[in-house]
Amino acid sequence: ELFSRNAQERSLIASTTKLMTAIVVLENAKLNELVDIKPEYCNIEGSSMYLKAGERYTVKELLLGLLLESGNDAACALACHTAGSMEGFAGLMNRKAAQLGMTGSSFANPHGLDAQGHYSTAMDMAKLMCYCMENDSFRQLCATKSCSIHGQTLVNHNRLLELYPGCVGGKTGYTLSAGRCLVSCCERKGLRLV
């Protein structure tokens, strides 16, 4: 640890939640699995990759929508595909948090919209990001600057990928209550900093 301030303080984490969503999906589903989009996955408030009911996407395509466009619809689709329900998926998220020693965290949903019992700490999110960066698929997805899916161009909201030399991934987040959130990873001279 190089520097910390209020590292153990519980905070709202907005869409940085999707780091946990992504790693839980990657560890419980295959990238080429097909997901049928149901009406209840669509029209979730906040950021979206604009899924339409009746369409079919691969897990990989939905993960790109999750990590680049911060799609709350993608988060719902992935959660229900992976665990059968949003509640079941939140259970997987909390189990992973416990395994990682994220003692100041509690997850209630896969997208990070404000909810009772949904919070983390700076230290816990750093632990999570360090763990995520050990996963090859996560690293590739998270570092993708843009891609085209079903004729739609997705652009990564994390502008540090373009602006900051050595930035290899991260996740932004915003809700009115949480404010602007960021978890980021940089690699320079063989050293990885989160």
Side-chain angles (χ1 to χ4, degrees), residues 66-83:
L66 180 85
L67 291 169
L68 274 63
E69 289 286 348
S70 205
N72 293 338
D73 48 359
C76 293
L78 287 164
C80 293
H81 173 76
T82 303

Side-chain angles (χ1 to χ4, degrees), residues 3-53:
F3 174 82
S4 70
R5 189 172 72 202
N6 304 330
Q8 310 292 354
E9 188 179 308
R10 289 182 178 181
S11 303
L12 297 172
I13 54 171
S15 282
T16 60
T17 296
K18 291 170 178 137
L19 295 170
M20 179 63 87
T21 303
I23 200 67
V24 169
V25 169
L26 284 166
E27 292 182 350
N28 290 279
K30 291 186 170 61
L31 290 173
N32 60 358
E33 285 173 15
L34 291 170
V35 181
D36 290 311
I37 304 306
K38 297 179 180 172
E40 58 266 32
Y41 306 160
C42 306
N43 305 317
I44 310 289
E45 67 173 291
S47 309
S48 182
M49 70 177 290
Y50 303 103
L51 296 175
K52 292 181 185 67

